[in-house]
Amino acid sequence: MTPAPSSGWNAVVVPSTPLMIAAGGTADPLAGVRALALDSVRWLVASSPDRIQVLCSPADPANVARGVTTPLGERVARSLLSAAGFDREIVVSTSESESPVSTGVLIVGDGSARRGEKAPGHLDDRAFTFDSTIESALRACDADTLATLSVDLGAELLAAGVPAFRALGALAGGAEHTCEMTYSGDPLGVQYWVARWQCAS
Amino acid sequence: MTLKLGRQAFADDASLMMAIVNRTPDSFYDKGATWAEDSAFDRVAQVVDEGAEIVDIGGIKAAPGVEIDAAEEISRVGSFVGRVRSAYPSLVISVDTWRAEVGRAVCSEGADLLNDAWGGADPELVDVAAEFDAAIICTHTGGVTPRTRPHRIEYADVVAAAIADTTAYAERALAAGVSRDSIVIDPAHDFGKNTAHSLEVTRRLGEMVDTGWPVLVSLSNKDFVGESLDLPVGERLIGTLAATAFCAQAGARIYRVHEVVETRQVVDMVATIMGSRQPARVTRGLA
């Protein structure tokens, strides 16, 4: 049993795209977003040098059936943590009812992938309202809203981060945080955020 | 092996486009389109803009025709090389000639590379390359006389002959003092070869690559493509590009071409498929 932290915890939200791991091509359209994500992960590591708790969605069952069993979010987290020089314990949580086990929590998740006609999931107008709700809750450190995000609507809108955001909401409970969001955008038709939650206590 | 072509060096994974620039009134493909010096100069500007690393300037068409002596050849290409050199200080300038006398003249004007399409017909050409620290292309022609067409030429093994002759030529250049990294071999499609021979050297190009010498291929719009597809000059680009893809997979380093953009795309695509080049932009399915 991993012990609970003795003090409050900080959290960072980063996108869950494989392009957070590597560009894959000569051009690197998410270089700026990746740099911001890495900055925030470094900040998180500085406040939790011994253990990081990762919240991400479970591996896509279809990908598991194809032989890929490690959740994408976990791979993104490990890549960013490695790039930040972190080589200590990583505790990965893919369920929505977690307790804080570290003073540093890394949430890997994003909003809808249906934010345009060329988006991965084509256009669904409901994506904008749904993502606005998530973004407002992230900015306000509104745990209740995050904890009760609709799983079904999130799935319809290809918002892969919903399980991780719900887990963050459940984790946050009554803890007090302040948010600094350093990125919000959908350059490839998927809503990405980079945000820091700093423990207020 | 790193390639040193006169004033430029290229990494061992670089594929290079050598654009053909004819200062001739009668070459088979362009039929004199760049015979006027200003037209040839415009062609240089165009191919540089298209990304060619090398221009190959020639003053005599390969096929039989009116005899062009060395003085006339020098008048066609000598000062023109100087003009291109002045305008493009870092461009690799190759000259397509078999004559040492012409080689000396063009190297004095700033040429980097001597493209001896006729397989060492003039034994002193290697000495000129060494004297000017120029690079040299060692081609295989089966020993035929320059500007003659193959007639009932036969080989027990055309690839073995091409390897034996080009590597012997390369060693001769090395012995003459040409830098090892400035020597390139070329099977010379259609030179001293019928279509079956050219197809076989294409099919087995990897054996030439395995010699370790960098390999140039000159495939562009040639008769072996035309006979393979029964197409006249002017309709051979697709066949040329198919042969280009095959040679790229086998490991050719330099492509002597009429069409720079199309060839570059094919070579880049093959390299990307093979994993030696990254895609330009990858977001599909990953956002």
Side-chain angles (χ1 to χ4, degrees), chain B residues 17-284:
Chain B
M17 296 297 129
M18 172 192 266
I20 297 163
V21 178
N22 289 317
R23 285 239 53 227
T24 57
D26 49 5
S27 287
F28 82 101
Y29 186 64
D30 61 41
K31 299 181 171 57
T34 57
W35 168 229
E37 185 178 310
D38 284 348
S39 299
F41 194 75
D42 289 345
R43 163 79 177 160
V44 172
Q46 177 194 336
V47 298
V48 167
D49 188 50
E50 291 173 346
E53 290 86 358
I54 308 167
V55 290
D56 188 41
I57 298 166
I60 305 180
K61 75 168 180 174
V66 176
E67 184 176 342
I68 307 297
D69 63 17
E72 170 63 14
E73 188 181 359
I74 290 170
S75 78
R76 291 182 177 187
V77 298
S79 62
F80 182 69
V81 167
R83 182 178 173 189
V84 173
R85 173 53 68 220
S86 296
Y88 301 97
S90 61
L91 178 66
V92 176
I93 300 176
S94 167
V95 173
D96 182 346
T97 187
W98 76 86
R99 291 178 170 129
E101 182 181 351
V102 177
R104 180 167 283 107
V106 298
C107 285
S108 298
E109 294 280 358
D112 298 291
L113 172 57
L114 298 173
N115 179 19
D116 180 9
W118 291 103
D122 184 339
E124 294 178 12
L125 193 67
V126 290
D127 300 318
V128 175
E131 180 185 339
F132 287 89
D133 198 23
I136 192 162
I137 312 291
C138 305
T139 59
H140 168 261
T141 64
V144 299
T145 300
R147 302 192 68 198
T148 57
R149 293 197 174 101
H151 184 59
R152 300 177 185 173
I153 193 165
E154 295 181 295
Y155 298 92
D157 182 335
V158 67
V159 176
I163 289 173
D165 288 4
T166 56
T167 59
Y169 189 175
E171 294 293 343
R172 192 159 62 78
L174 193 62
V178 180
S179 175
R180 178 176 287 278
D181 55 7
S182 295
I183 299 170
V184 175
I185 62 172
D186 171 7
H189 289 72
D190 282 6
F191 280 59
K193 297 174 190 66
N194 59 34
T195 289
H197 296 139
S198 292
L199 292 171
E200 184 156 8
V201 296
T202 308
R203 191 180 305 124
R204 295 169 57 193
L205 193 77
E207 294 177 40
M208 291 201 75
V209 172
D210 288 344
T211 65
W213 295 102
V215 172
L216 176 149
V217 286
S218 181
L219 313 165
S220 201
N221 300 293
K222 281 185 171 175
D223 282 347
F224 84 97
V225 175
E227 288 200 337
S228 293
L229 301 177
D230 192 18
L231 289 172
V233 171
E235 298 179 28
R236 299 174 179 176
L237 176 59
I238 294 170
T240 297
L241 295 176
T244 298
F246 203 92
C247 292
Q249 185 175 12
R253 298 277 300 278
I254 306 177
Y255 302 81
R256 182 177 179 273
V257 300
H258 297 103
E259 285 89 3
V260 173
V261 173
E262 292 86 345
T263 311
R264 167 62 73 195
Q265 286 184 13
V266 167
V267 171
D268 281 353
M269 191 67 210
V270 170
T272 310
I273 292 167
M274 294 180 74
S276 55
R277 174 187 178 275
Q278 282 208 329
R281 176 187 165 88
V282 175
T283 60
R284 189 172 187 282

Side-chain angles (χ1 to χ4, degrees), chain A residues 46-128:
Chain A
S47 69
S48 182
D50 294 326
R51 182 188 299 142
I52 294 287
Q53 181 174 9
V54 172
L55 303 183
C56 63
S57 300
D60 179 342
N63 285 335
V64 172
R66 297 182 193 106
V68 180
T69 55
T70 306
L72 172 60
E74 178 179 343
R75 281 176 278 138
V76 169
R78 289 186 185 279
S79 173
L80 289 171
L81 286 166
S82 174
F86 183 78
D87 59 0
R88 308 299 287 273
E89 185 182 5
I90 297 171
V91 181
V92 179
S93 309
T94 57
S95 75
E96 294 181 8
S97 54
E98 291 295 332
S99 303
V101 298
S102 170
T103 55
V105 181
L106 178 56
I107 299 94
V108 188
D110 23 44
S112 175
R114 308 192 68 170
R115 293 177 62 93
E117 292 191 350
K118 294 192 173 177
H122 202 257
L123 175 64
D124 187 321
D125 289 332
R126 297 174 298 169
F128 303 99

Side-chain angles (χ1 to χ4, degrees), chain A residues 17-19 24-27 29 188 192, chain B residues 277-283 285-287:
Chain A
T17 162
L19 298 171
T26 309
L188 303 174
Y192 303 137
Chain B
R277 174 187 178 275
Q278 282 208 329
R281 176 187 165 88
V282 175
T283 60
L286 298 174

